[in-house]
Amino acid sequence: MHVCWLLPCVLGIPCLWPGFAVAGDSSREKAEKRADSHWRVKRGWVWNQFFVPEEMNGSHYIGRLRSDLDNGNNSFQYKLWGDGAGSLFTIDNRTGDLYAIQKLDREERSLYTLRAQVIDTTTGRAVEPESEFVIRVSDINDNEPKFLDEPYEAIVPEMSPEGTFVIQVTASDADDPTSGNNARLLYSLRQGQAYFSVEPTTGVIRISSKTDRELQDEYWVIIQAKDMIGQPGALSGTTSVLIKLSDINDNKPVFKESFYRLTVSESAPIGTSIGKIMAYDSDIGENAEMDYSIEEDDSKTFDIITDNETQEGIVILKKKVDFEHQSHYGIRAKVRNRHVDKELLIYHADVSTTFIKVRVEDEDEPPVFLLPTYIFEILEENPHGAFVGTVSAIDPDQRKSPIRYSITGSKEFTISDNGTIIVTSTLDREINAWYNLSVTATERYNVQQISSVPVYLQVLNVNDHAPEFSEYYETYVCENADSGQVIQTISAVDRDESIEDHHFYFTLSAEDTNNSSFTIRDNQDNTATILTNRSGFSLQEEPIFFITILISDNGIPSLTSTNTLTIHVCDCDDSGDTQTCSDKKIVLFLGLRVEVIIALLIFTIVICGSVFLMLALRQQRKQILFPEKGDVLGENIFCYDDEGGGEEDTEAFDIAELRSTAVMRARRARKTTSAEIRSLYRQSLQVGPDSALFRKFILEKLDEADSDPCAPPFDSLQTYAFEGLGSLAGSLSSLGSTDTDQDENFDYLNELGPRFKRLACMFGSAVHSNN
């Protein structure tokens, strides 16, 4: 059995006839196999492939499928299944011819797998098993090269040597690289040939000549890629490459100006900015950073610092300038790059310089003292007007204004118009050894211009203080002391200041030297020892001794003081210790202190008690006599005094009765005593002091009180006894009590308040006694 594959010869591709026959098979065997089963055919269809060129328009013949059992009687039918069957590919079911009915694109799909089978139309059964085959789409050069990594950008340092690698570009061709030269590419340079080149097969771009960023900082290079090795008919694609040049420090900074003029005020403080200078550098970034410096400045008056933000040079004042001393300065400045690589030093061999002329402007300056400080010395106790010293200040300006001087904060000194300091009061070194003065100088033409200088004045010592005891001495000598016994060691102090060390001399006065029971020994170390000059002292006969000690110093002139030392005779113990006497004195002193404290406390208590008592008495006098009628106090007179034969009585007088005649009315029959007194009490509260007689009586008593030298100095309430010329109330005396009922009850007096309490006690007691 033979299967024949008929392939057309297309585009020079040789036709293949891959069908083959199997030797030794007889026709009978074939018939038996077909009769047994179609699927048990030992071999019939074999695998094969077809080649179809891409981009063919319309129906295009591919090849023929034919079974070796097909005898041409049209009883066989060919069927097709698989990729693109019916849509891309079709088969003539009678002849087995294959056709492509659509245009194929290898770049979309290059291989299709299909299946074919032969059917016997008479039986409807397959003559042969399915056979699988492939259709390959053969390539044609229909795709141009494409650069897939666009856009391209590269950075390369300026001034790079020839052959320096810049960047590699790569194009891609969708055609089949195994099909001829369709995908074999060749690169070429279409723009940028002056500075760059490209390798034809790799697409590597390199430097072909030196570049300068300051002339041109970037380049656009166009690269072309052609397939088919650039042969005629080849397709091509292009891309653009941006090549930027990075900066190197191949340019030195250069001053824009070769000459600068600046001005500065003579009053400007150190560090003042007086102007700016500027240099230009064609480089950028770190390569353009620069440092300015002074190249020539003999006066060392100015300096230059760099502003890192603007890269300007700032000229600053390094020292104070003085218009009167120098009005113009000339300096030269230079500039260098801050960062320069060693291989680039050749570009920076010569530095750029510029000349700066500085003019000093004159200002009205304050006076200037000839010295920064003044120190004077003067002896203490110099008289008023004594010369101390002279300070001097001048006006540094050209007009030379006169100067006026003054001293602030000092009462001991004054200064004249010519700067002479004189003393205005007596100086005492022991009180103040140094004076810190401040002398102010003021221009007369401009009083706003003021300056001051410190003046230190030392008061020199004069030996005007004699030495004296360094402390108060409590000296004791025992009654049984022997002659020559040491009883006290004394020392001295001197408030004067001595150039040499102080040295004191101790002696007894002439009188004590001849008659004293004690003697003194100078120890030559500013101390002296007091010794007994005899033995045996009596506490009873002579308990205290006073000796006069003369102390002299070594000053010029030498001064001597007279000091008295008190020596107490002491009843010492057996050991001869005088400490017991000192202890007794302390105990006595403490005892006296306790007694004094107690006395002071008692005195304080007595004073406080007296004050409180006086305040209480004053308060009691101010109390209202009748609290229940306190608002009508001015209309009542309350009298307390003795009546008749020494018996105390208290009455309230009705002022209205004072207006009656002098003739006493007949006494009315008494009601009960209780009712009468209540009635009189009420009447006394209703009358007012409008009687001329009563007024006269009050004025006389007021005059007596005002002229009384023993009257208290504060306001007081005066009370007087006055019965008037007669009263309807009668008397409350007990003299007429015999005419009343003997069983009269006077307990009602307790109801009339505290003013009748005494009467209630008197009459109540009498009634109880009678009972």
mmCIF file of all heavy atoms in Angstrom, residues 215-228:
data_model
loop_
_atom_site.group_PDB
_atom_site.id
_atom_site.type_symbol
_atom_site.label_atom_id
_atom_site.label_comp_id
_atom_site.label_asym_id
_atom_site.label_seq_id
_atom_site.Cartn_x
_atom_site.Cartn_y
_atom_site.Cartn_z
ATOM 1 N N LEU A 215 30.801 73.764 25.548
ATOM 2 C CA LEU A 215 30.390 74.144 24.202
ATOM 3 C C LEU A 215 29.032 73.539 23.854
ATOM 4 O O LEU A 215 28.184 74.210 23.277
ATOM 5 C CB LEU A 215 31.445 73.689 23.188
ATOM 6 C CG LEU A 215 32.835 74.332 23.340
ATOM 7 C CD1 LEU A 215 33.805 73.749 22.317
ATOM 8 C CD2 LEU A 215 32.746 75.844 23.183
ATOM 9 N N GLN A 216 28.855 72.282 24.185
ATOM 10 C CA GLN A 216 27.571 71.603 23.953
ATOM 11 C C GLN A 216 27.451 70.502 24.985
ATOM 12 O O GLN A 216 28.336 69.661 25.108
ATOM 13 C CB GLN A 216 27.514 71.041 22.531
ATOM 14 C CG GLN A 216 26.178 70.406 22.179
ATOM 15 C CD GLN A 216 26.094 69.986 20.719
ATOM 16 O OE1 GLN A 216 26.962 70.325 19.913
ATOM 17 N NE2 GLN A 216 25.053 69.251 20.372
ATOM 18 N N ASP A 217 26.337 70.559 25.724
ATOM 19 C CA ASP A 217 26.236 69.638 26.849
ATOM 20 C C ASP A 217 25.456 68.369 26.549
ATOM 21 O O ASP A 217 25.429 67.454 27.377
ATOM 22 C CB ASP A 217 25.608 70.348 28.059
ATOM 23 C CG ASP A 217 24.231 70.880 27.742
ATOM 24 O OD1 ASP A 217 23.821 70.836 26.565
ATOM 25 O OD2 ASP A 217 23.557 71.357 28.692
ATOM 26 N N GLU A 218 24.803 68.263 25.344
ATOM 27 C CA GLU A 218 24.096 67.039 24.987
ATOM 28 C C GLU A 218 24.032 66.900 23.473
ATOM 29 O O GLU A 218 24.098 67.889 22.743
ATOM 30 C CB GLU A 218 22.701 67.017 25.597
ATOM 31 C CG GLU A 218 21.784 68.120 25.143
ATOM 32 C CD GLU A 218 20.435 68.062 25.841
ATOM 33 O OE1 GLU A 218 20.374 67.498 26.944
ATOM 34 O OE2 GLU A 218 19.450 68.593 25.280
ATOM 35 N N TYR A 219 23.889 65.641 23.036
ATOM 36 C CA TYR A 219 23.871 65.329 21.601
ATOM 37 C C TYR A 219 22.749 64.329 21.346
ATOM 38 O O TYR A 219 22.495 63.423 22.158
ATOM 39 C CB TYR A 219 25.208 64.720 21.148
ATOM 40 C CG TYR A 219 26.392 65.663 21.266
ATOM 41 C CD1 TYR A 219 27.097 65.775 22.459
ATOM 42 C CD2 TYR A 219 26.805 66.431 20.170
ATOM 43 C CE1 TYR A 219 28.180 66.629 22.567
ATOM 44 C CE2 TYR A 219 27.898 67.286 20.281
ATOM 45 C CZ TYR A 219 28.579 67.382 21.476
ATOM 46 O OH TYR A 219 29.639 68.226 21.591
ATOM 47 N N TRP A 220 22.093 64.506 20.170
ATOM 48 C CA TRP A 220 21.128 63.510 19.701
ATOM 49 C C TRP A 220 21.772 62.699 18.582
ATOM 50 O O TRP A 220 22.208 63.246 17.566
ATOM 51 C CB TRP A 220 19.866 64.178 19.164
ATOM 52 C CG TRP A 220 18.962 64.668 20.260
ATOM 53 C CD1 TRP A 220 18.857 65.917 20.748
ATOM 54 C CD2 TRP A 220 18.034 63.868 20.971
ATOM 55 N NE1 TRP A 220 17.929 65.983 21.733
ATOM 56 C CE2 TRP A 220 17.386 64.716 21.901
ATOM 57 C CE3 TRP A 220 17.653 62.527 20.932
ATOM 58 C CZ2 TRP A 220 16.409 64.271 22.768
ATOM 59 C CZ3 TRP A 220 16.690 62.080 21.794
ATOM 60 C CH2 TRP A 220 16.066 62.943 22.712
ATOM 61 N N VAL A 221 21.835 61.384 18.768
ATOM 62 C CA VAL A 221 22.440 60.466 17.803
ATOM 63 C C VAL A 221 21.343 59.561 17.252
ATOM 64 O O VAL A 221 20.530 59.027 18.023
ATOM 65 C CB VAL A 221 23.564 59.637 18.458
ATOM 66 C CG1 VAL A 221 24.117 58.611 17.475
ATOM 67 C CG2 VAL A 221 24.671 60.557 18.941
ATOM 68 N N ILE A 222 21.295 59.413 15.924
ATOM 69 C CA ILE A 222 20.291 58.546 15.280
ATOM 70 C C ILE A 222 20.996 57.291 14.770
ATOM 71 O O ILE A 222 21.968 57.365 13.995
ATOM 72 C CB ILE A 222 19.586 59.273 14.130
ATOM 73 C CG1 ILE A 222 18.826 60.492 14.684
ATOM 74 C CG2 ILE A 222 18.616 58.331 13.403
ATOM 75 C CD1 ILE A 222 18.153 61.323 13.611
ATOM 76 N N ILE A 223 20.489 56.115 15.178
ATOM 77 C CA ILE A 223 21.053 54.810 14.795
ATOM 78 C C ILE A 223 20.027 54.096 13.917
ATOM 79 O O ILE A 223 18.834 54.067 14.236
ATOM 80 C CB ILE A 223 21.379 53.976 16.038
ATOM 81 C CG1 ILE A 223 22.362 54.728 16.966
ATOM 82 C CG2 ILE A 223 21.938 52.612 15.630
ATOM 83 C CD1 ILE A 223 23.701 54.971 16.333
ATOM 84 N N GLN A 224 20.509 53.507 12.803
ATOM 85 C CA GLN A 224 19.654 52.717 11.900
ATOM 86 C C GLN A 224 20.061 51.257 11.952
ATOM 87 O O GLN A 224 21.250 50.925 11.983
ATOM 88 C CB GLN A 224 19.765 53.239 10.461
ATOM 89 C CG GLN A 224 18.838 52.527 9.484
ATOM 90 C CD GLN A 224 19.049 52.984 8.055
ATOM 91 O OE1 GLN A 224 20.177 52.842 7.524
ATOM 92 N NE2 GLN A 224 17.998 53.505 7.423
ATOM 93 N N ALA A 225 19.019 50.370 11.961
ATOM 94 C CA ALA A 225 19.254 48.923 11.907
ATOM 95 C C ALA A 225 18.587 48.377 10.649
ATOM 96 O O ALA A 225 17.386 48.626 10.409
ATOM 97 C CB ALA A 225 18.707 48.255 13.149
ATOM 98 N N LYS A 226 19.337 47.621 9.784
ATOM 99 C CA LYS A 226 18.820 47.011 8.556
ATOM 100 C C LYS A 226 18.931 45.508 8.648
ATOM 101 O O LYS A 226 19.927 44.993 9.157
ATOM 102 C CB LYS A 226 19.615 47.499 7.343
ATOM 103 C CG LYS A 226 19.131 48.804 6.767
ATOM 104 C CD LYS A 226 19.843 49.092 5.440
ATOM 105 C CE LYS A 226 19.282 50.361 4.802
ATOM 106 N NZ LYS A 226 19.930 50.610 3.487
ATOM 107 N N ASP A 227 17.868 44.795 8.116
ATOM 108 C CA ASP A 227 17.960 43.340 8.064
ATOM 109 C C ASP A 227 18.564 42.914 6.730
ATOM 110 O O ASP A 227 18.964 43.748 5.918
ATOM 111 C CB ASP A 227 16.591 42.713 8.310
ATOM 112 C CG ASP A 227 15.533 43.184 7.333
ATOM 113 O OD1 ASP A 227 15.916 43.823 6.325
ATOM 114 O OD2 ASP A 227 14.341 42.933 7.579
ATOM 115 N N MET A 228 18.640 41.634 6.546
ATOM 116 C CA MET A 228 19.234 41.056 5.322
ATOM 117 C C MET A 228 20.642 41.591 5.083
ATOM 118 O O MET A 228 21.081 41.774 3.944
ATOM 119 C CB MET A 228 18.348 41.321 4.091
ATOM 120 C CG MET A 228 16.989 40.623 4.167
ATOM 121 S SD MET A 228 16.006 40.833 2.691
ATOM 122 C CE MET A 228 17.009 39.952 1.488
#
